[in-house]
Amino acid sequence: MKLKMLLLASVASVGFTGPVVSQDLEPCENCADEMTLVSWGGAYQASQVKAYSEPYAEMTGVTFVWDESSNEAVAKLRAMNEAGNVTWDLVDVVASDGIRLCDEGLARPMDVDAELADAPDGTPASDDFGDLLVSECFIPQIVYSTTAAYRADVEEWGGKEPEDICAMFDMETFPGKRSLEKRPINNMEWALLCDGVAKEDVYDVLETDEGVAQALAKLDTIKDQVVWWSAAAEPPQLLADGEVVLASSYNGRFFSAIEEQGQPFKMLWDAQVFDLDGWIIPEGLPEDRLNRVLHFVKFATDTQRLADQAKYISYGPARLSSAPLVGKHAELGIDMAPHMPTDPENAKNTFLYNYEWWADNRDDLDAKFQAWLAQ
C-alpha cells in the first residue's frame, strides 16, 4: 500500500515546469567503446534511445547495440551464465524479473548512493527513488501499467463501450476477438477479479491450486477468441488491422498508437496493473565493460534523463524529482499528464501488481499456464 501511495503522489506535480537540470559527465576511465543494451523494442525502446543513448553517444562517442529480448531476459541470462559467456551489458527488465535475477546471482548489486546521481537539490538517490528500489540489483526507470484498449467503431456493440476490465470476458455484450499476453501475469489476476474475487484476496487465492484452477477456468470462457501476444507492439497492430476488438498491452504502446498514429482506439484504464521497469547489470562483466555501464547508468537514470523519457512515452519517471520536469510531448506538444497511468483520473481503480509474489511463483505458474494453453 505504501508503494501505491508513492506512485500516485509522484505524478501530482507532473505537468508543471521546472528548471532544466544538466549533469556534468565525468571522464570514463578504462571504459569499453561499445555497449549491448537489451530492451523491449517498439515505442518504449525508441523513448530510451531518444532520452538516453543518443545524447550519451553524442557526448562520448560510444556505439550502442540494441537487443529486443527483454521478454526472454531471465532464460537467456541463465543460459549465458551457464555457458560462461555473458554478451549483454545492460538489461531492461520488469521488477519481478529483476528480483529473480538478483536472487539467482545473475545481476550485480548496486551501491545506489555511490553509483547513481543525487537529485538536483542534493537528495540521495536512495531517497529520490524511495520504495521503488525493490531489489539491490534493480535500477528503476519508469512506472507503467498493463491495461486494455478497444476499438471505438465496433458496429456489433450497438453503441456500447466497455467500462471495466470484465468486458474482456463478456462475449455477449462485446463480441469479437481479444488479444492477451501469452503469460500468466495480469491474465490470472483479471480472471479472478472478474470471477468475483476481492482485489485484496487475489494473491491469497492464486497461492492455492484451487485458485489457479479458478483463474484458468475463467480464461477458458474466452480462450477460443484470444489472439495471444508476446511482443507489446503486437496488440496495437492487431487492433489497427481489425483482427481484434479488445486487447491488453502496456499503456505507452496504446498512447503511441492513439496519439501519434491517430488510431481509433480508446483506453480502458479500469484495473490497470501498476508495475515497475528498470535496468539490471549482469554479474561478472569484465572491468572495462562494467565501467562503461556504470558511467552510462549514472547518466541515464539522473533526474533530467528520466524526465526526458516521459516526453516521448506516457510512463511516469521513477524519481520523485523528475516529475516536475515532465510537461509536454517533445514532438506532439500535448500535455503528458492526462496520459500517465498515475494520473488521478486514470488511477481510480488500479490493481497493484505483487512483483515479490511473482518472483517467487513465476516459474511454477508459467509451467501451468503454458500447459493450459497447449490443451
Side-chain angles (χ1 to χ4, degrees):
M1 184 57 67
K2 184 179 179 183
L3 176 58
K4 182 174 181 179
M5 296 294 290
L6 178 63
L7 296 182
L8 294 175
S10 71
V11 80
S13 55
V14 172
F16 294 109
T17 58
V20 174
V21 181
S22 179
Q23 177 187 317
D24 293 329
L25 206 60
E26 299 176 357
C28 190
E29 303 292 339
N30 184 25
C31 290
D33 295 328
E34 182 177 284
M35 290 179 63
T36 297
L37 272 58
V38 183
S39 190
W40 303 89
Y44 178 63
Q45 186 172 304
S47 72
Q48 293 176 307
V49 170
K50 292 172 184 174
Y52 307 153
S53 64
E54 282 185 351
Y56 185 82
E58 186 174 342
M59 298 168 77
T60 64
V62 170
T63 299
F64 285 87
V65 176
W66 288 88
D67 183 315
E68 300 178 5
S69 299
S70 281
N71 62 324
E72 304 173 276
V74 174
K76 288 196 172 185
L77 278 172
R78 286 171 176 168
M80 288 181 187
N81 185 260
E82 178 118 354
N85 183 28
V86 178
T87 58
W88 293 345
D89 296 309
L90 188 62
V91 186
D92 187 299
V93 295
V94 295
S96 59
D97 284 349
I99 294 171
R100 285 202 290 168
L101 290 166
C102 199
D103 289 347
E104 295 177 24
L106 301 179
R108 176 188 180 274
M110 294 289 296
D111 185 342
V112 171
D113 288 332
E115 296 177 334
L116 300 183
D118 292 340
D121 65 359
T123 299
S126 58
D127 291 335
D128 205 21
F129 285 107
D131 285 356
L132 305 193
L133 292 167
V134 297
S135 164
E136 63 178 342
C137 304
F138 181 74
I139 312 161
Q141 293 176 73
I142 58 153
V143 178
Y144 75 98
S145 76
T146 300
T147 187
Y150 59 93
R151 288 196 65 105
D153 57 356
V154 183
E155 293 182 4
E156 292 84 354
W157 293 358
K160 295 180 180 178
E161 294 187 9
E163 296 181 356
D164 58 55
I165 194 61
C166 296
M168 191 71 73
F169 299 90
D170 186 353
M171 295 300 304
E172 183 176 346
T173 309
F174 302 106
K177 292 280 189 179
R178 281 89 165 104
S179 186
L180 292 171
E181 189 170 7
K182 197 175 183 179
R183 66 175 188 171
I185 293 174
N186 303 320
N187 295 325
M188 303 291 274
E189 289 95 327
W190 285 337
L192 290 179
L193 287 174
C194 296
D195 204 42
V197 176
K199 189 185 298 186
E200 63 271 17
D201 295 332
V202 163
Y203 289 108
D204 289 337
V205 172
L206 208 51
E207 189 82 31
T208 67
D209 290 339
E210 294 80 8
V212 172
Q214 181 182 352
L216 293 177
K218 185 66 173 179
L219 287 165
D220 260 328
T221 64
I222 59 170
K223 185 179 182 181
D224 63 353
Q225 293 296 309
V226 174
V227 178
W228 300 98
W229 61 267
S230 297
E234 294 173 37
Q237 190 61 53
L238 288 167
L239 282 170
D241 293 342
E243 294 186 36
V244 303
V245 295
L246 188 60
S248 70
S249 189
Y250 310 137
N251 71 282
R253 302 305 180 106
F254 288 137
F255 166 83
S256 178
I258 294 168
E259 299 299 333
E260 297 176 355
Q261 301 170 25
Q263 295 291 347
F265 312 159
K266 289 187 179 180
M267 299 288 290
L268 181 61
W269 291 104
D270 181 69
Q272 60 163 321
V273 184
F274 276 146
D275 200 355
L276 309 175
D277 196 271
W279 301 113
I280 63 97
I281 301 173
E283 185 63 273
L285 294 183
E287 183 180 2
D288 63 334
R289 287 167 59 190
L290 177 60
N291 289 343
R292 174 58 70 190
V293 170
L294 290 172
H295 192 257
F296 171 75
V297 162
K298 185 175 183 180
F299 169 84
T301 62
D302 75 4
T303 294
Q304 185 63 52
R305 250 47 61 176
L306 292 184
D308 285 348
Q309 186 182 9
K311 296 176 184 176
Y312 298 100
I313 199 162
S314 56
Y315 297 141
R319 279 182 179 260
L320 287 172
S321 63
S322 298
L325 304 183
V326 179
K328 296 184 180 298
H329 190 283
E331 296 166 355
L332 300 178
I334 61 174
D335 184 7
M336 292 296 286
H339 302 284
M340 294 289 178
T342 44
D343 181 78
E345 187 65 25
N346 301 332
K348 287 180 178 179
N349 182 36
T350 61
F351 186 88
L352 186 59
Y353 169 69
N354 189 330
Y355 31 75
E356 292 97 343
W357 189 92
W358 276 108
D360 292 338
N361 294 278
R362 177 70 185 275
D363 288 339
D364 179 53
L365 265 291
D366 270 346
K368 291 177 179 177
F369 188 79
Q370 296 305 323
W372 169 78
L373 276 179
Q375 292 174 358

